[in-house]
Amino acid sequence: MTGEPTRVLHTGDTHIGYRQYGSDDRRRDFLRAFERVVDDAIDEGYDVLVHAGDLFHSRSPRLDDVRETVELFRRLDDAGVEAIAVVGNHESKRDADWVDLLQDLGLVRRLGDEAVVVDGVAFYGVDHRPPSRFDASEIGFAPSPQDASHNVLVLHGLFEPFPFGDVSLEGFVESSDVDWDAFMLGDYHHPERDQVGGVVASYCGSTERASADEEEARGYNVFGFDDGVRMERRAIETRDFVTVEADLVEGGTDEVIERTRERDVDDAVVTVEVRGGSDAPVVQSEVEESLLGRGAVVARVNDRRDKDEDETTEVEFADPDSAVRERVDEMELTDAGREIDAVVRDKNVARTRIAEEIEESVEGFLDADGDEDGMEDGKPEQSTLGDVS
């Protein structure tokens, strides 16, 4: 290849629409993080933006999140940046996926077993699937076009040689007739890089922190394809996560609050880890209210002190109804799920009529939608609350 190298931005796991901790501020953060990636792709003149799955956090994102996402891809298109993508596990639907909508709008090209060639680089893709169906020998790829100097496979899943892997990437090297140059991966939220039979394999990581243990700076990978393959890591600015270690000596709530004053919590997501030998009670709601009053966007308190098995722990809630509503918001329920929750908690519905009311509500959704998203074999899909990979 001669001339300027083909420059590819590799991103994924953007989880747009994730209302983390039940916070609308956090929901907007996930969209803004992807917007920063798009800004970089345009400002720095990349040829291709590869999205390795989990564009959205759920199969049923809010309409305003979809609308703003479409506008971001429209900006890429207007700037001449080719956008290509695979589908992740969080957004996968039984029929048409959101990537198909973006493709119908002429803004994204969905990858598959046929090559999509951009500036001499051939891109293939495999959407997320269960490990039992990720047999590389059964996935046939069309031959690489003669005008392609490099071949890239984009996948969403957990792969070996990374220690958390379920499926070996070695199988794609050994069983495919395509001579791969790079594997661009999504699903694992921490950036990782390795080699598989001489092929560069990399996870781009998530663009926002989907859990507090994602401590590395968020960002994306950059590839350059010319006579060889070059890869770099670029960071983006995201909201601060602050962890306060409150190792109590004698005090309870007041001592925890005093420990939090040692840290700047303004505009941050704050987690307080309570430890130590003191058995004084800690009212979590008071600590959280104090943090929110100092400008924290989200405040959470985890009491990690060892408790005597015979000890009775008193739990205090500032507002039980508010706590329940917040927990329901975090569960990312489908519309049908929210309807069921509303019926169960409706004080005007007689307890003897709950089952009948729920049945009528679900039948209404099924009649309207034919096949309700988030329902598998007639059973509500389990929500993903902790690990969103």
Side-chain angles (χ1 to χ4, degrees), residues 13-15 51-56 88-91 156 187 388-389:
D13 292 292
T14 46
H15 289 277
H51 196 290
D54 283 354
L55 173 65
F56 292 105
N89 54 306
H90 272 257
E91 64 212 343
H156 189 92
D187 197 17
V388 300
S389 62

Side-chain angles (χ1 to χ4, degrees), residues 96-108:
D97 291 290
W98 290 106
V99 172
D100 294 318
L101 170 64
L102 294 166
Q103 181 168 255
D104 290 343
L105 294 172
L107 303 177
V108 174

Side-chain angles (χ1 to χ4, degrees), residues 232-254:
E232 300 175 4
R233 179 76 183 160
R234 301 288 173 82
I236 59 173
E237 183 180 352
T238 56
R239 189 182 299 277
D240 288 337
F241 271 52
V242 174
T243 300
V244 178
E245 301 284 350
D247 197 6
L248 302 186
V249 178
E250 295 179 352
T253 302
D254 290 342

Side-chain angles (χ1 to χ4, degrees), residues 27-314:
R27 180 183 63 81
R28 286 187 288 270
D29 284 346
F30 281 82
L31 183 66
R32 296 287 85 80
F34 183 51
E35 183 177 25
R36 293 185 182 99
V37 174
V38 169
D39 288 342
D40 286 356
I42 294 172
D43 294 343
E44 299 181 24
Y46 287 96
D47 301 295
V48 186
L49 182 144
V50 170
H51 196 290
D54 283 354
L55 173 65
F56 292 105
H57 183 67
S58 79
R59 297 167 176 84
S60 304
R62 294 165 51 133
L63 183 58
D64 52 352
D65 287 323
V66 174
R67 178 179 56 79
E68 292 193 57
T69 302
V70 168
E71 288 305 310
L72 290 177
F73 279 103
R74 197 179 304 281
R75 286 182 53 207
L76 288 170
D77 185 61
D78 291 343
V81 180
E82 186 82 28
I84 54 183
V86 297
V87 175
N89 54 306
H90 272 257
E91 64 212 343
S92 178
K93 298 161 69 73
R94 287 190 176 186
D95 44 20
D97 291 290
W98 290 106
V99 172
D100 294 318
L101 170 64
L102 294 166
Q103 181 168 255
D104 290 343
L105 294 172
L107 303 177
V108 174
R109 298 175 74 176
R110 181 174 180 176
L111 296 175
D113 54 15
E114 297 279 346
V116 171
V117 181
V118 184
D119 289 348
V121 180
F123 294 90
Y124 299 78
V126 181
D127 297 334
H128 178 269
R129 58 182 68 185
S132 60
R133 294 180 51 222
F134 240 128
D135 187 346
S137 64
E138 296 182 0
I139 303 176
F141 297 99
S144 178
Q146 291 185 351
D147 60 344
S149 60
H150 295 84
N151 300 298
V152 175
L153 180 58
V154 183
L155 305 132
H156 189 92
L158 301 177
F159 299 98
E160 298 175 350
F162 302 99
F164 47 80
D166 296 321
V167 179
S168 175
L169 289 174
E170 190 71 38
F172 290 96
V173 176
E174 295 175 350
S175 64
S176 175
D177 292 333
V178 179
D179 186 15
W180 303 112
D181 294 285
F183 295 125
M184 296 186 184
L185 310 174
D187 197 17
Y188 188 61
H189 286 188
H190 301 266
E192 296 282 354
R193 178 179 180 177
D194 210 327
Q195 291 265 340
V196 184
V199 181
V200 177
S202 71
Y203 280 95
C204 54
S206 59
T207 52
E208 249 293 353
R209 289 176 173 84
S211 64
D213 66 353
E214 296 173 20
E215 297 178 352
E216 309 96 333
R218 300 296 91 188
Y220 53 84
N221 294 335
V222 173
F223 283 82
F225 295 95
D226 42 27
D227 293 332
V229 179
R230 294 176 290 103
M231 183 194 135
E232 300 175 4
R233 179 76 183 160
R234 301 288 173 82
I236 59 173
E237 183 180 352
T238 56
R239 189 182 299 277
D240 288 337
F241 271 52
V242 174
T243 300
V244 178
E245 301 284 350
D247 197 6
L248 302 186
V249 178
E250 295 179 352
T253 302
D254 290 342
E255 186 175 347
V256 174
I257 291 175
E258 189 62 32
R259 295 295 177 84
T260 67
R261 296 189 184 283
E262 300 171 3
R263 302 289 299 276
D264 180 8
V265 301
D266 186 49
D267 210 32
V269 175
V270 184
T271 301
V272 180
E273 300 288 337
V274 181
R275 294 185 172 86
S278 172
D279 58 2
V282 173
V283 182
Q284 297 181 10
S285 61
E286 291 186 13
V287 178
E288 292 171 358
E289 288 171 4
S290 172
L291 289 165
L292 294 173
R294 291 171 53 205
V297 171
V298 174
R300 289 291 183 273
V301 178
N302 299 319
D303 195 338
R304 307 296 190 189
R305 293 175 294 176
D306 293 333
K307 300 291 184 180
D308 189 323
E309 293 183 358
D310 296 328
E311 181 181 350
T312 300
T313 301
E314 181 178 353

